[in-house]
Amino acid sequence: MHVRRTHRRALAAAFTAGATATVLAAGLGSSAFAATVFSDNFDDGNSSGWSKSGGTWSVVTDGSGVLQQTNRDSELARQFAGQTSWTDYQVQARVKPQSFTSSSSLVGLAARSSSSTRMYRLALLGSGRAELQAVNGSQITVIGSASTGAATGTWYTLRIETSGSTIRGFVNGTQVGSGSDSLVGAGRIGLVTAYASGSFDDVAVDSGGAGTPSTPPSTTAPPTNPPPTTAPPTNPPANWPTPTGSQKVDATVQVSGTFDGGLKRYYGIGDGGQSESQDPMFVLAAGATLRNVVIGAPAGDGVHCEGNCTLVNVWWEDVGEDAATFRGGSAYTVDGGGARSASDKVFQHNGSGTVTIRNFRVENAGKLYRACGNCSTSYQRHVVLDNITARDTDALAGINTNWGDTARFTRITILDDPGRDTRICVKYRGVAKGSEPTEIGEGADGVNCLYSSSDITYR
């Protein structure tokens, strides 16, 4: 008997500008930055929407909800949010150092993080100084610094402003550094510790709009089936491949360019469960391609695409949290491969633009695709599903019709489903952070869910 699963947890975080934007405007003084495009005060008790890299993080109560990193022996612990396409903006947060292990230990805030080790950082040091830094791996360039007497157990308000090549840092409203630097032109925000523990609260991003998404979502028309970037096979493969070998992964693999795994199995990140605090197995930079990879269990939070990306012949043997999350770009392609044992969903679409999934197998899953219904920024999102074979899967796609999402289906084959329990297109009403999307319907409508009976074959 086919048993339909229920939605188990909140999707990634979202926000409402409202009162938070008013408070920020009052506290930031005169600035060219006007629109609040992201905020999180952790009062909802979770860190949904943030991506962890290293450290031990949890939301705790310190007067109100705060995000805390407690592993003071971690060489570098980071949480990232936002989009890799963000350019000119200011990010502000309250930061409390809890402990330093040395004078060079730090607790701080990051802007324009183009990767986990490339960013601008405003750091409170164990020496009592604050430094505005350009970070490029192990190479640290100090743009400016000042003595602040930073003490453990005390809250400080940190702010970084980026405008073109001009980078400025402020502690409690006082500028501690300013200079011109061209290391990175765009990237996400981050919360950072190094050989220290600390707490973070009241994070907000304001922008004049250059390169930064805004709400409400856009109304751009979705593309029709995008042209393939590689020649697809005629049909999804009938069987899961036999890995050519196995390799345990102890830390997230950063991919730029093309990573070809030769159909080797990669495993070892996370605990195989649904926790959102798990690190991803692979993080793909904008424009990267991951191909010929078998992802075994545990696989943490699977694959993160930080910009446009291509996944070719990638197989997930046992999806834990999500198989892949599409974040900072506008066009993502999954060509070939398959996924199974996803208790919630396979592909999570948090960024804008279109996800194309073709020549793909899915088995024993909740949803093959879900457009985020309560992320930090509300986009109009689109998905194109072509030449899909599904077995024991509750739904192929979930979209938010109130934001103009669309899902287009062609050459869909549903196996072993005589009762036709697999739902093709499920419609939701997208909501702001702290709320849960509401299911409002399903089925083809010629507007959001685009398919006809001839597009779906049951066998």
Side-chain angles (χ1 to χ4, degrees), residues 21-80:
T22 303
V23 172
L24 284 170
L28 292 178
S30 61
S31 172
F33 301 87
T36 300
V37 295
F38 176 94
S39 64
D40 199 344
N41 60 15
F42 307 106
D43 285 347
D44 55 6
N46 65 68
S47 57
S48 296
W50 292 84
S51 175
K52 179 178 81 73
S53 178
T56 303
W57 298 82
S58 61
V59 175
V60 300
T61 300
D62 184 357
S64 62
V66 303
L67 182 60
Q68 189 174 85
Q69 199 292 112
T70 56
N71 185 357
R72 64 198 300 267
D73 296 320
S74 178
E75 179 180 6
L76 199 56
R78 292 143 296 186
Q79 287 274 7
F80 296 109

Side-chain angles (χ1 to χ4, degrees), residues 20-397:
T20 305
T22 303
V23 172
L24 284 170
L28 292 178
S30 61
S31 172
F33 301 87
T36 300
V37 295
F38 176 94
S39 64
D40 199 344
N41 60 15
F42 307 106
D43 285 347
D44 55 6
N46 65 68
S47 57
S48 296
W50 292 84
S51 175
K52 179 178 81 73
S53 178
T56 303
W57 298 82
S58 61
V59 175
V60 300
T61 300
D62 184 357
S64 62
V66 303
L67 182 60
Q68 189 174 85
Q69 199 292 112
T70 56
N71 185 357
R72 64 198 300 267
D73 296 320
S74 178
E75 179 180 6
L76 199 56
R78 292 143 296 186
Q79 287 274 7
F80 296 109
Q83 305 296 331
T84 55
S85 60
W86 287 2
T87 54
D88 294 349
Y89 62 88
Q90 70 173 17
V91 54
Q92 175 172 296
R94 291 200 308 135
V95 176
K96 179 198 286 188
Q98 300 285 9
S99 65
F100 296 110
T101 60
S102 71
S103 60
S104 60
S105 302
L106 66 89
V107 177
L109 180 66
R112 286 188 183 171
S113 301
S114 63
S115 74
S116 59
T117 57
R118 188 178 173 91
M119 66 192 74
Y120 294 111
R121 184 169 69 193
L122 180 56
L124 300 177
L125 303 177
S127 64
R129 297 187 65 80
E131 287 187 354
L132 181 62
Q133 306 168 336
V135 180
N136 187 10
S138 60
Q139 182 179 348
I140 310 296
T141 301
V142 178
I143 299 173
S145 67
S147 177
T148 59
T152 58
T154 301
W155 286 102
Y156 297 86
T157 299
L158 274 56
R159 185 169 86 249
I160 303 174
E161 295 183 357
T162 63
S163 180
S165 61
T166 300
I167 314 299
R168 299 197 299 168
F170 300 80
V171 176
N172 291 341
T174 300
Q175 182 171 296
V176 299
S178 177
S180 180
D181 190 273
S182 57
L183 174 66
V184 282
R188 297 184 291 164
I189 63 171
L191 311 174
V192 187
T193 70
Y195 294 117
S197 60
S199 298
F200 303 84
D201 198 9
D202 297 334
V203 184
V205 180
D206 279 21
S207 173
T212 306
S214 60
T215 51
S218 67
T219 56
T220 54
T224 56
N225 281 343
T229 56
T230 59
T234 304
N235 290 297
N239 298 302
W240 256 250
T242 300
T244 58
S246 293
Q247 180 171 326
K248 188 175 186 298
V249 177
D250 296 316
T252 298
V253 179
Q254 304 289 334
V255 178
S256 58
T258 297
F259 182 100
D260 192 322
L263 275 182
K264 183 182 293 185
R265 175 190 287 120
Y266 293 82
Y267 72 97
I269 295 283
D271 58 11
Q274 288 288 306
S275 171
E276 294 183 350
S277 63
Q278 298 178 87
D279 290 342
M281 175 77 73
F282 294 94
V283 171
L284 275 58
T289 297
L290 182 68
R291 65 171 64 237
N292 300 323
V293 169
V294 178
I295 298 180
D301 201 26
V303 177
H304 283 188
C305 283
E306 299 305 316
N308 294 352
C309 69
T310 304
L311 309 180
V312 181
N313 199 34
V314 178
W315 298 84
W316 289 264
E317 293 181 322
D318 187 345
V319 176
E321 217 289 284
D322 295 325
T325 303
F326 305 107
R327 300 162 60 90
S330 59
Y332 321 85
T333 300
V334 178
D335 196 347
R340 60 189 177 194
S341 300
S343 60
D344 188 3
K345 58 198 175 307
V346 176
F347 296 121
Q348 171 78 20
H349 189 182
N350 291 353
S352 61
T354 300
V355 174
T356 299
I357 307 167
R358 56 174 174 254
N359 313 310
F360 195 84
R361 294 184 66 87
V362 57
E363 297 182 3
N364 187 27
K367 294 181 182 67
L368 174 58
Y369 166 92
R370 178 67 169 103
C372 184
N374 57 0
C375 273
S376 323
T377 305
S378 304
Y379 296 106
Q380 184 183 86
R381 302 176 175 95
H382 311 288
V383 62
V384 175
L385 294 99
D386 176 59
N387 204 19
I388 305 297
T389 297
R391 184 196 304 269
D392 190 27
T393 297
D394 294 347
L396 295 186

Side-chain angles (χ1 to χ4, degrees), residues 415-429:
L415 301 179
D416 301 331
D417 190 7
R420 300 191 176 185
D421 291 332
T422 295
R423 299 192 288 176
I424 305 303
C425 187
V426 183
K427 306 169 192 178
Y428 293 86
R429 182 178 302 280

Side-chain angles (χ1 to χ4, degrees), residues 392-413:
D392 190 27
T393 297
D394 294 347
L396 295 186
I399 61 173
N400 310 296
T401 57
N402 59 313
W403 292 339
D405 294 357
T406 65
R408 187 182 304 271
F409 305 82
T410 53
R411 297 191 295 169
I412 306 298
T413 301

